[in-house]
Amino acid sequence: MAQKVPVKVEGRELTLSNLDKVLYPDYGFTKSEIIDYYSRIAPVLLPHVEGRPLTVKRYPNGVTGQSFFEKNAPEHTPDWVRRVTLPVPGSTKNRETINFAVIEDLPTLVYYANLAALELHVPQWRVDDDGQALPPDLLVFDLDPGPPATIVECCQVALMLRDVLKAEGLSARPKTSGRKGMQLYADWDCREEPSAYAKRLAQVLAKEHPQQVVSVMTKKARPGKVFIDWSQNNPAKTTVAAYSLRAGDQPTVSTPLTWKEVEDCERPEDLVFMAPDVLARVGKRGDLFGRA
């Protein structure tokens, strides 16, 4: 029989289940440790997902089992979880709208952690108090290394991109993807359509550094180079949130970085951070992904 534990989180009643279930077998990381991580990281994570329609990737049987993306908040979602109904043109399930959840408080974060929603993904825009979509407030570049390139090469490209953005009056913030690549974010002022803008900058860098950078998605063009994925700025797309866990062999985290860490990266292992590492970093340095 499934172990169930009633708890109260900031006045909300939740029932946690299967707390001893190991969701990262190679690391021995249990559901209770996942809930503990998200509970403790909440003060710095919540500002980065607040107001953003949520897509989660759930792993009910752990990272070695089947997983699924979930955008539509199920009917059994507690009524205190904020939901917004938004149009989804071109839905693969032929839906005209989706009822998205929005994580804005600790109880909601714990609720999703208990569902084994290991990964949290959000768009580059928020909704207002009435649930209407606002213009994008973030610009993102997803740097994806084509083997044998690694995050070391991503760091080199990130520095190039930082300088280009600085010349454009934008201040970039780096974070790891929690997997093999990294992302750069900048506050966005809606000077133009963000995907077109990001694509143009990616093309400039690809032209100036053809041995290191590629701006097209074609797989055969990418070995040994870093693909600057500008398409994540499409309003229909999401990117893994800062401080979200990733579902790999180990409980790695999409971790905000200092520019010195980017500059000093010599080995891929230099920028791999597990959940306990990130809690310690935040305890010591605070939120490195705060607004520039």
Side-chain angles (χ1 to χ4, degrees):
M1 188 171 179
Q3 169 201 19
K4 294 188 177 181
V5 179
V7 297
K8 187 169 280 191
V9 181
E10 293 184 349
R12 303 295 188 187
E13 293 183 356
L14 289 83
T15 301
L16 306 181
S17 61
N18 299 317
L19 293 175
D20 294 333
K21 190 169 188 176
V22 178
L23 297 186
Y24 289 83
D26 289 354
Y27 197 82
F29 211 60
T30 64
K31 190 199 271 191
S32 65
E33 290 173 297
I34 288 161
I35 294 171
D36 178 68
Y37 167 74
Y38 273 124
S39 298
R40 292 167 62 191
I41 206 68
V44 293
L45 183 154
L46 288 173
H48 301 300
V49 298
E50 185 179 12
R52 300 188 190 277
L54 180 70
T55 297
V56 294
K57 195 169 185 183
R58 292 177 55 186
Y59 290 79
N61 293 307
V63 296
T64 57
Q66 288 192 324
S67 64
F68 58 95
F69 278 101
E70 187 171 84
K71 293 177 180 286
N72 204 51
E75 288 184 7
H76 57 73
T77 303
D79 58 9
W80 44 261
V81 172
R82 185 185 180 192
R83 273 159 285 188
V84 293
T85 302
L86 295 165
V88 283
S91 167
T92 55
K93 297 186 178 180
N94 295 317
R95 293 183 290 208
E96 292 185 6
T97 61
I98 284 180
N99 292 316
F100 288 91
V102 182
I103 294 181
E104 301 201 315
D105 54 28
L106 179 58
T108 305
L109 187 58
V110 171
Y111 171 77
Y112 273 101
N114 184 61
L115 292 179
L118 302 184
E119 296 188 2
L120 311 177
H121 297 253
V122 290
Q124 315 317 317
W125 48 273
R126 300 178 189 264
V127 293
D128 63 17
D129 291 343
D130 296 323
Q132 299 298 307
L134 294 168
D137 62 328
L138 291 174
L139 184 74
V140 64
F141 295 86
D142 191 10
L143 307 184
D144 185 16
T150 67
I151 197 169
V152 175
E153 285 73 26
C154 288
C155 286
Q156 295 165 2
V157 173
L159 293 169
M160 300 174 194
L161 196 48
R162 176 188 65 175
D163 292 343
V164 171
L165 289 167
K166 186 176 181 180
E168 295 272 325
L170 298 172
S171 181
R173 304 186 293 276
K175 72 176 177 71
T176 71
S177 68
R179 289 192 170 158
K180 59 182 180 176
M182 64 187 296
Q183 288 112 19
L184 293 192
Y185 285 72
D187 293 340
W188 184 239
D189 53 14
C190 294
R191 62 184 69 178
E192 62 180 276
E193 199 282 315
S195 281
Y197 178 85
K199 181 179 182 180
R200 189 168 70 252
L201 264 58
Q203 289 174 332
V204 167
L205 281 175
K207 187 175 181 180
E208 291 179 351
H209 306 277
Q211 300 306 312
Q212 295 169 274
V213 178
V214 62
S215 63
V216 294
M217 296 186 185
T218 314
K219 292 281 187 184
K220 65 181 182 181
R222 291 161 61 177
K225 300 180 182 181
V226 174
F227 170 46
I228 300 180
D229 188 354
W230 43 268
S231 71
Q232 296 298 107
N233 295 285
N234 182 315
K237 290 197 174 187
T238 59
T239 307
V240 67
Y243 303 107
S244 171
L245 286 165
R246 299 310 303 265
D249 294 339
Q250 300 174 309
T252 55
V253 171
S254 181
T255 308
L257 303 169
T258 66
W259 278 111
K260 187 171 190 320
E261 286 175 314
V262 176
E263 292 164 356
D264 292 348
C265 179
E266 295 180 349
R267 307 171 304 152
E269 309 87 74
D270 292 344
L271 297 181
V272 176
F273 302 98
M274 308 295 166
D277 303 327
V278 174
L279 288 169
R281 281 170 67 86
V282 169
K284 187 176 180 180
R285 304 183 179 194
D287 180 16
L288 293 175
F289 217 55
R291 297 252 158 172

